[in-house]
């Protein structure tokens, strides 16, 4: 795999048409990155310290917060370094690692949203059997399945892309290594890798989307059967945050991977939204509309302040 590779490093060209704006982008991306870390760590703190949040829904939300901490960390630190004027080069192995972890974590999020949709389906459509359907063992198996399945998905894509020889240009027209910008640099026939990667990403995204759609169709039908308006409002509020996150996730996937023509500038902008902005919004989406999370977080912070003061 490595012996046939002449290119030993790649050059990250960054976001197209942004020359001279490096300082502004550095401050902006650093703010979003720190907001992401702080917001998701606070969500984890609330879930871990409050016994009221030790339920399947918050178990999966905790996993999502872990994902939202790691996902922007794949590309943000390197990007902020070269925005500060440091080298734009990334090693061959570093580029492969970025691509692997980007798709590993991205696929994990896709599977996780599907599992969370099933959890809401079980809670709203089968409330009396919910604790039996979503018992601790089932939650653990589902979580392990999402991470192991994602690892397999990312391993196949990374192997296909980096078993190709790279012996020509090494300029990656983005701020990190991903399939649409790395694959054209290969000096061999890329049709197989292109077809398999397109199919792989497309099938995973489509399958997860159809399962989520099925779950929420059943949920909507069940909510309409609830007689009291207060009951309908409460049932809808538990799902609205999840649906908002799904829209933020699937929009970039469709724009980047499932359209025929590629636009480097549009791809970079969408990747910024997907990699940096969306992970910082998830804590706000899930906490602002959730009284239990806000109460648990307020309690955890007040206990921490009391401990420090004592």
């Amino acid at each position: 795999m490595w012996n046939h590779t002449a290119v030993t490093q790649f050059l990250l060209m960054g976001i197209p048409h942004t020359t001279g704006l490096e300082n502004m982008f550095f401050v902006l991306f650093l703010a979003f990155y720190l907001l992401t870390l702080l917001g998701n760590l606070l969500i984890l703190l609330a879930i871990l310290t409050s016994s009221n949040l030790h339920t399947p829904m918050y178990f999966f939300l905790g996993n999502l917060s872990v994902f939202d901490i790691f996902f922007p960390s794949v590309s943000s630190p390197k990007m902020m370094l070269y925005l500060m004027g440091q080298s734009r080069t990334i090693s061959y192995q570093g580029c492969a690692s970025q691509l692997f972890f980007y798709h590993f974590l991205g696929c994990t999020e896709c599977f996780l949203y599907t599992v969370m949709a099933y959890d809401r389906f079980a809670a709203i459509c089968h409330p009396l059997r919910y604790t039996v359907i979503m018992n601790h063992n089932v939650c653990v198996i589902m979580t392990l399945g999402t991470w192991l399945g994602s690892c397999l998905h990312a391993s196949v894509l990374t192997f296909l892309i980096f078993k190709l020889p790279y012996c020509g240009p090494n300029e990656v027209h983005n701020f990190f290594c991903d399939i649409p910008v790395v694959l054209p640099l290969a000096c061999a026939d890329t049709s197989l890798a292109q077809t398999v990667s397109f199919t792989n990403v497309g099938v995973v995204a489509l399958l997860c989307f159809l399962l989520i759609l099925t779950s929420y169709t059943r949920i909507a039908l069940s909510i309409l059967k609830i007689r009291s308006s207060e009951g309908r409002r409460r049932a809808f509020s538990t799902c609205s945050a999840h649906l908002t996150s799904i829209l933020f996730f699937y929009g970039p996937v469709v724009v980047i991977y499932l359209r025929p023509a590629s636009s480097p500038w549009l791809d970079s902008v969408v990747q910024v939204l997907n990699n940096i902005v969306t992970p910082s919004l998830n804590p706000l989406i899930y906490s602002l509309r959730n009284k239990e999370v806000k109460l648990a977080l307020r309690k955890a912070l007040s206990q921490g302040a009391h401990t420090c003061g004592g």
Side-chain angles (χ1 to χ4, degrees), residues 240-260:
S240 58
H242 185 216
L243 285 170
T244 305
S245 294
I246 289 170
L247 291 174
F248 277 118
F249 173 74
Y250 272 98
V253 170
V254 171
V255 171
I256 296 166
Y257 299 105
L258 304 181
R259 63 190 175 91

Side-chain angles (χ1 to χ4, degrees), residues 5 13 16 46-47 63 67 96 103 134 138 154-155 158 163 174 184 187 190 210 233-234 260 264 267 269 272 284:
T5 304
M13 302 306 292
I47 292 171
N63 275 270
F67 156 83
H103 284 275
M134 299 300 293
V138 169
S155 297
T158 307
K163 78 179 181 66
N174 207 335
C187 49
T190 62
L210 289 175
R233 188 194 64 78
R234 286 185 62 186
D267 286 351
V269 171
V272 166
L284 298 175

Side-chain angles (χ1 to χ4, degrees), residues 103 107 110-111 153 156-157 160-161 179 183 190-208 253 256-259:
H103 284 275
C107 187
C110 186
F111 288 156
H153 166 81
V156 170
L157 292 180
L160 283 172
I161 303 304
I179 295 171
L183 198 55
T190 62
S191 56
L192 176 63
Q194 207 164 13
T195 302
V196 173
S197 60
F198 180 85
T199 305
N200 201 339
V201 173
V203 166
V204 168
L206 181 62
L207 182 62
C208 289
V253 170
I256 296 166
Y257 299 105
L258 304 181
R259 63 190 175 91

